[in-house]
Each structure stands twice: as C-alpha cells, then as structure tokens.
C-alpha cells in the first residue's frame, strides 16, 4: 500500500538520471500532460492488447511471484506490495523480446503501455490467489496437523491438490462479476483515487517515456545483481542445514538466552528486502510486539505454569502457554480489524451520502499529486472516451455471477460436507454488497479488508453451524468470502490502472480472468510442492510454521465453543489487548498524519506474539540499510531501493523451488552447523570420546 506510493515517487525523482535531452526539451516535456506526451501513439484495440507474449510473460512471472508470496505466507504472513517488481520485470522481458525481433526485422506489434498493464494485471491476479487461497491461513487451518495443535475435535480435511484446485475455481471468479457493472460509477462518476492502482499506472506510463525506459533498464540491472546474490546466498546456506536447528537461520546472534526467546538475526534476505519496502513504522511495530510478548509477557506467564495452566503440557497445546500466544494475538488482530472496518465503512457511507446529495467532494486517501489542473480536462476526456468505448454488458456480469454462484452452491457441499448449501446461498446473497463496500473502501483508503470480511464469515457461519462441523464450516465460509471481496477490490484497482494507461476495460477484465485461472492452478501446485517437500510444514519452530493457519482455526473454535476454549485469565488479557488495539488506532487517527505516524500498528505488533522477533530484526536491518542509503545519497536510494529489495525477495523466494525439489528426491545437505552452550559442548565431547 504505502510501498506503492513511495516507489512511484522514487521513480519520478530518479528520472533525471541518464537524461540525454537538453533543458528546453525537458521543460517542454514537463509542460505537457501525460496523454499529450502519448498523443501521437495509437492505442491498440482490446484484442491486440491481449497478446500471446503478454500471456506468456505473465505465466512466467506468476510462477515466480507465487513462490515468493507462498513463502511469505508460510513463514510470517507479512506480504509487501510486489506491484513495482511485477511492472518492472514485465516491462523488461517484453522490451527485450521486442528489441530482438526489431533488430531481426520480425517485429509486427510494438510493446505498448496497454500491453504492460495487461501483464501487470494478470500477474497480480495470479499471485493474489496465493494469498486469498488461504494456503497459510484458513485452507491449511483445516488440516489434521493444525487441528492436533489446536487440540479440538472440530474435524479436519487434509490438503489434496484435486479438491484445492476445484474449490478455487468455483469461488475465485465471483468477485470479478460482482463489481463489473459498477466500474463507471467508481472510476468516472465517483472519481475514487485507488492509490495503488494510480501509482502503478504512473509507473507504467513512466516506463514508456524515453527517460523512464533508461531508468527502468538500470533498475532491472540492479534487481538482477541482487537476485543473483540472494539466490546464491540461499544455496550457500543450504549446505549447513543437515539436521534440525542447523544452519545460519539458527545463528544465536545475541546469545543463547535471547535465541531461546526468538531474538536473533536469521540471515534471511527475503525479510531484509521486505523491511526495505515496508514503511518504518511497520518494522518498528513488529519489533515492539516481539519485545512486549517474548521479552516480557511470555516469560512472566511461563512462571505461572501449574497455576494458570496445567504443568507438563506440550509447547503446542492450546490449553497451555501456546493458548495465550494465539488468543492474545487474535484479540489484537480482531480489535484492529473491527476498528478499521468501522472506519472504512463510515467513510464509505459518508462518501456515498455526499456523492448522491452533491454537497461536497468525496473524501479521498492521502495521496499527493502534482497540480496539473490546466491539463486535466484533456486527459480526463481522452481517458473517459476510451474507458467507455469497450463496454462490458451488465447482463453478462449478472448472468456470470448467477451461473458461477449456482455451480458453487452445488459443488462446495460435495467437497465440504460440513458446509450446507443454505450457508453458501446466504453468503452469495450478501457477497455483492460486501464486495462493493470493500472495493469502494479500497478506493478511498487503499485498504482491502478482505481478511476482516473473512473473519466475519468465520464467526457467523461457525456459530450458526455450531458443534456439528462448525469449525470447518467457518473456515470454508471465510475462504469463500475472502476470495470474493479480495478479487473485487483487485479488479477495481486494475480498472483504475487501465483508465490511467488507456487500457481497455475488456482487456483488463479478460486479463484478470486469465490471471485468476492461472492462479487457481499455479498456487495449489506451488503449495503442494512445499507440503510434500517439507514434512514439518505448519509446526511451530519449523522453517515454515504457517502461523495464521493456527490463528484462523482458533478463531473458528472461538466462534463455535465461545470463551470456554480459553485458558485461565486469558480472556481478561484478550479484553485488554483488544481494547488497546482500538485505542492505538483511535489515537493514531486523532493525532493526525504528522504525529500519528509514530503510533505503532496493532496488526503488525500481533504477528510476533506467535512467531517471535527473528524476522522483525531482519526487517529492521532492511530499514536501517535504506535509512543509511538515503542519508548518503537520497536520489539514488529513491530510484533503486525498490529494485534492490525486489531482487533480495525474488532470489531467496526462487531458491525455494530447487530446495523443494532436492528435498523431494531425497538429497540431504552434507553439513549441520549447530550452536551449543559451553557446558553442553563439554558433555557432547565427553560422550563422543567415550564412544571411541
């Protein structure tokens, strides 16, 4: 979200590099609006925007980003915006291909910003399924492995490639059809900002100017260097991971006692890159959450073993210390989600009221834009003309929604016997309204509350179903709702991007459909590779603990069983942290943008309550690198920091593919690098000497 705006500003600030034009030409270019700069270029028809090369590049990038998102999902659940990476790599691949064809005289169609937008849309739609598909949350939360950790008898359904693909195909397209008839109202009539979509459009437009193309070439080169470094670093680390708790990822940076409480730097280039993309306050919030929980609360509660909870319980038992970790984290997440849901809903209703009454302008997100009022009429006229040219009939949208909803209502109970057909019918009746609210709210604030709507479905359907399969029914309902509202807001963001790049709404819709279809196949296959290669996936303390799977399942248990599922005094602590999350958000809004930016984010603070602070330290290292770089050379840092971060994330993310294949074929690392205390080391040496 914020990363998009920052990256876009960086690109604009960096355009002065590699100028190649004299000052008069530069001044002339600055005086021209965006569409006047592209006035001499023909806009291809919507069919010509959907080229085979665009779909081919989208497929390759979808596989790449699905691995990255899946790894982030299964480790911490923190997923930064990868729009810049997708746009940059899409531009690079097609531009390189068209240059080769141009030199050989075989180029038939030049690479346009509309085709670039199609690639962007397709890739984001496909990799988005890796998040909304619930592989690190509700879907994996249905598994026997997570059910055993939660200690409930709510049933389970283990992952299987067949039913996962079938489930995604019958629920992932509904959101697209639910908001298509509203595209003119949202984009042209209401003039919603959609900051991420707007930032992406500015990025793509800048790529296709002479100066922007030169900067993009340098950025891709930088991304490639750090991609190679990150990939090779992951490969090097693999050699030292022959056993449990081996390797650089278990390096006790601050000592063994701190390591026991999850305070260490694990040498993850992924989260160093994530820290460079995420705003400083997110990284600091995560670190503060880790210090509060693992540094203070959990050691104090652990002393109450035998009093607050039975002694001798396993570390994963929800009636012990693990229950406090999970449920207090859930209370903060719910408090944060409830506050933001009410805030965005209030803005949505207020905006609609004033829009229809015509009393004042619609409130928009805090997105600075240069004053180009003299040029806006021409740009708006040009964009509106082309946006309304290729209409998508309303009957097509309604027929599509009703048809897919009917199929889904029949198919889902066959896959999940706990989910009755009338639960699904109720969801589909209310889903278009909630999809509209989420899409409208995202246009105002740039926040998609898909996970919040999913949690709403968990509690309502779970409580309705009760003890008779309510836990699984709540999780499945969460998945249905999340997919609908998430794809709806994503599509409207893409319509905004298409509006600003003169891409046809039809090409945007078709590319979103193609990307979603790709994601329904690619994401389950990527997850299946992780699931089969790493047998400890989902277990606390493993390489891929999938923390939100346990969180979502326990939310569903809470919805079915009520507060009886909580350990002693956990309810009181949950009330305190639920209220604290609301209070922090309220304080942040009351202080305004300047001082409110220093208030920690409750959602970010809640994540290390379950996982620990190791990834927070990685992210803070990324923030520190960016901070120092900006102090030394802000212009260069602004232009290339996103490329460096993307290279670090992509390289380490892609390394999971060969590492998974090596694990599947039984190739084990040759060395175990483990760190022991002096006393333990003496005992190990004594034991080994006694065996010789």
């Amino acid at each position: 979200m914020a990363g998009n705006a920052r990256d876009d500003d960086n690109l604009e600030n960096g355009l002065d590099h590699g100028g190649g034009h004299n000052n008069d030409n530069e001044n002339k270019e600055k005086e021209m609006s965006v569409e006047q700069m592209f006035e001499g270029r023909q806009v291809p028809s919507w069919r010509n925007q959907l080229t085979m090369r665009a779909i081919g590049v989208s497929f390759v990038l979808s596989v790449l980003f699905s691995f990255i998102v899946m790894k982030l999902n299964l480790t911490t659940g923190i997923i930064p915006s990868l729009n810049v990476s997708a746009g940059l790599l899409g531009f690079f691949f097609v531009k390189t291909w068209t240059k080769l064809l141009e030199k050989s005289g075989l180029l038939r169609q030049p690479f346009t910003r509309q085709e670039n937008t199609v690639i962007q849309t397709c890739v984001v739609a496909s990799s988005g399924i890796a998040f909304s598909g619930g592989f690190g949350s509700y879907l994996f939360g249905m598994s026997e492995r997570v059910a055993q950790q939660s200690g409930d008898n709510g049933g389970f359904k283990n992952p299987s490639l067949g039913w996962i693909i079938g489930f995604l195909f019958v629920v992932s397209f509904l959101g697209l059809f639910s908001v298509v008839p509203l595209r003119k109202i949202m984009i042209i009539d209401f003039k919603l900002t959609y900051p991420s979509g707007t930032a992406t459009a500015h990025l793509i437009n800048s790529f296709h100017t002479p100066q922007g193309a030169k900067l993009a070439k340098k950025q891709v080169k930088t991304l490639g260097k750090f991609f190679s470094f990150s990939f090779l670093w992951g490969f090097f680390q693999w050699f030292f991971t022959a056993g449990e708790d081996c390797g650089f990822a278990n390096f006790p940076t601050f000592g063994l006692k701190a390591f026991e409480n999850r305070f260490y730097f694990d040498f993850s280039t992924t989260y160093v890159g994530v820290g460079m993309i995420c705003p400083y306050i997110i990284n600091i919030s995560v670190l503060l959450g880790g210090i509060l929980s693992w540094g203070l609360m959990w050691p104090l509660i652990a002393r109450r073993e035998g009093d607050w909870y039975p002694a001798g319980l396993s570390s994963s038992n929800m009636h012990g210390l693990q229950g406090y970790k999970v449920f207090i984290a859930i209370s903060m997440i719910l408090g944060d989600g409830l506050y933001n849901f009410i805030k965005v809903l209030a803005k949505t209703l207020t905006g609609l009221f004033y829009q229809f009454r015509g009393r004042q302008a619609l409130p928009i997100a805090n997105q600075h834009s240069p004053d180009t009022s003299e040029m806006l009429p021409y740009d708006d006229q040009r964009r509106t003309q082309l946006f309304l040219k290729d209409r998508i009939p309303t009957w097509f949208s309604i027929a599509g929604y009703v048809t897919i909803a009917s199929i889904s209502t029949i198919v889902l109970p066959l896959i999940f016997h706990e989910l009755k057909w009338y639960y699904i019918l109720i969801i589909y009746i209310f889903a278009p309204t909630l999809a509209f609210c989420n899409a409208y709210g995202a246009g105002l604030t740039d926040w998609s509350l898909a996970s919040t709507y999913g949690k709403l479905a968990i509690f309502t359907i779970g409580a309705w179903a009760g003890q008779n399969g309510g836990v699984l029914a709540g999780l499945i309902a969460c998945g249905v709702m999340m997919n609908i509202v998430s794809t709806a807001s994503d599509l409207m963001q893409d319509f905004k991007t298409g509006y600003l790049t003169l891409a046809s709404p039809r090409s945007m819709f078709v590319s979103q459909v193609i990307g979603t279809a790709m994601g329904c196949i690619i994401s389950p296959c990527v997850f299946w590779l992780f699931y089969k290669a790493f047998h400890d996936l989902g277990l606390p303390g493993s390489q891929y603990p999938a923390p939100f799977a346990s969180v979502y399942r326990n939310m569903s248990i809470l919805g079915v069983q009520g507060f009886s599922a909580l350990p002693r005094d956990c309810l009181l602590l949950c009330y305190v942290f639920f209220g604290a999350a609301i209070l922090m958000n309220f304080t942040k809004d009351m202080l305004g943008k300047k001082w409110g930016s220093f208030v920690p984010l409750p959602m970010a603070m809640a994540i290390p309550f379950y996982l620990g602070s190791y990834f927070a330290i990685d992210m803070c290292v990324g923030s520190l690198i960016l901070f120092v770089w900006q102090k030394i050379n802000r212009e260069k840092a602004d232009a290339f920091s996103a490329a460096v971060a993307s290279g670090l994330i992509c390289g380490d993310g892609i390394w999971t593919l060969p590492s998974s294949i090596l694990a599947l074929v039984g190739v084990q690392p040759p060395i175990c690098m483990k760190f022991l205390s002096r006393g333990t080391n003496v005992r190990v040496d004594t034991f080994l000497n006694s065996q010789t």
Side-chain angles (χ1 to χ4, degrees), residues 581-604:
I582 293 175
L583 181 62
M584 288 166 67
N585 276 300
F586 180 75
T587 304
K588 191 178 188 70
D589 287 338
M590 289 298 100
L591 289 176
K593 186 176 180 181
K594 182 179 178 181
W595 297 108
S597 61
F598 293 98
V599 178
L601 300 170
M603 182 72 76

Side-chain angles (χ1 to χ4, degrees), residues 599-617:
V599 178
L601 300 170
M603 182 72 76
M605 289 183 67
I607 297 171
F609 273 50
Y610 180 77
L611 284 174
S613 297
Y614 62 94
F615 68 95
I617 293 170

Side-chain angles (χ1 to χ4, degrees), residues 38 129 269 334 469 594 661:
F38 290 102
I129 298 295
T269 54
L334 291 177
K594 182 179 178 181
I661 294 171

Side-chain angles (χ1 to χ4, degrees), residues 372-384:
T372 55
S373 56
E374 294 181 4
M375 301 302 177
L376 281 177
Y378 174 80
D379 282 7
D380 282 353
Q381 183 180 5
R382 177 93 169 126
R383 290 164 177 168
T384 303

Side-chain angles (χ1 to χ4, degrees), residues 664-682:
L664 284 172
V665 299
V667 178
Q668 298 297 323
I671 305 169
C672 173
M673 184 175 71
K674 185 173 283 191
F675 301 89
L676 306 173
S677 66
R678 183 170 55 190
T680 304
N681 185 62
V682 169

